[in-house]
Amino acid sequence: MNEFEDLLNSVSEVTPGDVVTAEVLTVDAGQANVAISGTGVEGVLTLRELTNDRDADINDLVKVGETLELLVLRQVVGKDTDTVTYLVSKKRLEARKAWDKLVGREEEVVTVKVTRAVKGGLAVEFEGLRGFIPASMIDSRFTRNTERFVGQEFDAKIKEVDPAENRFILSRREVVEAEAAAARAEVFGKLAVGEVVTGKVARITSFGAFIDLGGVDGLVHLTELSHERNVSPKSAVTVGEEVEVKVLAIDEVEGRVSLSLKATQPGPWDGVEQKLAAGDVIEGKVKRLTDFGAFVEVLPGIDGLVHISQISHKRVENPKDALSVGQEVTVKVLEVNAADERVSLSIKALEERPAAAEGEEKAEKRAPRPRRQKREEKRDYELPETQSGFSMADLFGDIEL
């Protein structure tokens, strides 16, 4: 018993929390035995206290005869031999130094490595210290697949450091947003309304497609995707496709850019004179009906008008009585006006004129036109009979000369 007390007294100068220097005596069975300098006692350094990588080989990390700076964790007394050793750690000493380096560095950007995806975010490592990036702080948009970040190194901003609570919180989103803002400012500085630029389709929605212009996403609205009507965005472009677009409007305050894809493509009216000419007979489809006629698609993006008077030889009160949307019809081209983007068509020009209609038309031509009622002529008022057949004497007989 006296010998055991003497042994304890001889090592009283080593206490948990001390930072000591030790020499590696042996490396075996996943741990290293070290001699703590100036104490005459030994310590045990396990693989777990060397690194967070559990698949690492301890022989690659420490060598016999190597001198290490270690943190004393606790005292260990052997059950059978009554020997006293200390559990020491290299990893925790490095973490303590890392904590010391972190204090006061909030809002600083550092490079971290993602070790694993955990519930609610990412576990990262910085200079041997474990940190955490909440899911809401990973990217500017919510990220569902956090596993894709494992093994990556990227910059993150330090948000909170609390060594007492072992709390180290970072944000990658703020770095991403700052980089995006700088890229936006650069892109907006180069963009000009009316110019044609190249971008990549970033994403497709029901109302159009967003084009990445190198830091700024511009919108090609559904109506600016194609010269054709009612085109689905998915049929016009694909994600990742490079396209040329024309800048229609820029709103740097709101961060919006309006683009047009169809403005960079030949329009349906370009060279229409070579495709259509007066007198041509072509097939078309009724696209819409109005009170004054029917619009028939004769070429992609080109609708011609069949005026109500050109639908039939018979009198048509309403185009809906004679035609329906989607109906295939044969029409004759009456006129092509590319400047005004107008095509005049006729259906009745391809139909034989009914005899009755021809007779009616001739009768209409023969029928005298109704004359306008003339103004009532002034009547010649006749003097009464008593005044017919009079003489000068009768009129002036009472006048004294």
Side-chain angles (χ1 to χ4, degrees):
M1 189 64 182
N2 291 334
E3 291 179 0
F4 181 66
E5 290 179 356
D6 292 340
L7 181 61
L8 290 178
N9 292 333
S10 67
V11 296
S12 60
E13 59 187 276
V14 178
T15 56
D18 287 349
V19 176
V20 298
T21 301
E23 181 183 351
V24 179
L25 299 177
T26 61
V27 179
D28 187 31
Q31 69 179 35
N33 294 319
V34 299
I36 301 176
S37 302
T39 63
V41 296
E42 295 183 0
V44 176
L45 177 63
T46 63
L47 177 63
R48 185 174 181 178
E49 294 302 331
L50 263 174
T51 179
N52 289 324
D53 185 1
R54 298 185 180 183
D55 296 325
D57 186 345
I58 194 171
N59 293 285
D60 297 331
L61 302 176
V62 293
K63 304 294 182 183
V64 174
E66 184 179 358
T67 301
L68 305 173
E69 190 176 29
L70 306 169
L71 176 66
V72 179
L73 300 180
R74 65 177 183 273
Q75 187 183 86
V76 180
V77 179
K79 294 182 180 179
D80 299 329
T81 61
D82 293 332
T83 57
V84 176
T85 58
Y86 288 86
L87 181 63
V88 294
S89 175
K90 183 174 183 291
K91 181 181 72 175
R92 300 194 194 193
L93 179 59
E94 291 174 347
R96 176 190 285 186
K97 291 180 179 180
W99 279 115
D100 293 340
K101 291 180 180 179
L102 283 179
V103 174
R105 294 177 64 181
E106 285 83 357
E107 301 304 310
E108 184 178 331
V109 176
V110 296
T111 302
V112 298
K113 182 176 182 179
V114 181
T115 55
R116 58 196 178 102
V118 296
K119 184 178 181 180
L122 297 173
V124 299
E125 187 177 274
F126 172 66
E127 296 185 359
L129 190 64
R130 183 176 299 175
F132 178 67
I133 300 180
S136 61
M137 296 185 181
I138 294 175
D139 208 340
S140 54
R141 298 187 183 93
F142 181 74
T143 303
R144 294 185 181 276
N145 180 21
T146 56
E147 291 286 347
R148 65 187 179 91
F149 291 99
V150 176
Q152 290 187 21
E153 288 189 359
F154 51 67
D155 289 342
K157 180 178 285 189
I158 299 172
K159 300 304 298 178
E160 186 178 348
V161 177
D162 188 348
E165 295 294 331
N166 200 33
R167 187 176 177 83
F168 179 27
I169 307 297
L170 304 100
S171 172
R172 177 178 177 268
R173 185 188 67 197
E174 292 189 26
V175 174
V176 171
E177 290 176 346
E179 292 175 347
R184 279 197 301 271
E186 183 179 356
V187 173
F188 275 117
K190 296 178 180 178
L191 286 178
V193 174
E195 73 172 334
V196 175
V197 296
T198 301
K200 184 177 292 186
V201 180
R203 59 188 190 281
I204 298 173
T205 68
S206 59
F207 53 85
F210 285 93
I211 311 299
D212 182 5
L213 302 177
V216 173
D217 282 358
L219 173 64
V220 178
H221 191 266
L222 180 64
T223 57
E224 293 296 331
L225 282 170
S226 174
H227 291 287
E228 297 182 32
R229 296 186 180 92
N230 303 321
V231 172
S232 166
K234 290 184 178 179
S235 66
V237 293
T238 56
V239 174
E241 177 186 359
E242 282 197 355
V243 292
E244 284 191 340
V245 289
K246 185 177 182 179
V247 180
L248 300 181
I250 300 172
D251 186 344
E252 190 169 354
V253 176
E254 296 294 331
R256 296 174 182 172
V257 180
S258 298
L259 306 170
S260 175
L261 181 61
K262 73 177 184 181
T264 64
Q265 301 171 346
W269 291 92
D270 295 342
V272 69
E273 296 90 344
Q274 284 74 45
K275 303 173 186 176
L276 286 178
D280 288 350
V281 176
I282 54 178
E283 299 293 325
K285 180 182 289 186
V286 178
K287 302 298 288 187
R288 51 197 173 97
L289 298 170
T290 67
D291 293 338
F292 55 86
F295 285 92
V296 177
E297 185 181 45
V298 291
L299 288 172
I302 295 182
D303 292 350
L305 174 64
V306 179
H307 191 266
I308 190 170
S309 63
Q310 293 296 325
I311 293 177
S312 175
H313 290 288
K314 297 179 182 180
R315 182 176 179 81
V316 177
E317 296 291 341
N318 191 319
K320 293 180 180 179
D321 298 335
L323 300 169
S324 60
V325 174
Q327 180 180 349
E328 298 285 345
V329 292
T330 304
V331 293
K332 182 176 182 179
V333 179
L334 300 181
E335 180 190 7
V336 178
N337 188 334
D340 295 335
E341 296 187 354
R342 186 174 64 239
V343 175
S344 299
L345 306 170
S346 175
I347 295 176
K348 79 174 187 180
L350 300 176
E351 298 175 350
E352 185 177 353
R353 186 189 303 273
E358 187 175 349
E360 290 175 3
E361 186 174 332
K362 289 180 179 179
E364 288 179 1
K365 289 181 180 179
R366 288 197 303 269
R369 295 183 180 179
R371 296 180 179 178
R372 294 181 181 176
Q373 186 175 357
K374 294 183 179 180
R375 291 183 180 180
E376 186 177 358
E377 297 178 356
K378 291 183 179 181
R379 289 188 293 177
D380 295 327
Y381 292 97
E382 296 179 353
L383 293 173
E385 290 182 0
T386 55
Q387 295 179 3
S388 61
F390 55 84
S391 65
M392 295 296 291
D394 294 331
L395 291 174
F396 304 106
D398 294 335
I399 300 175
E400 294 182 358
L401 299 173

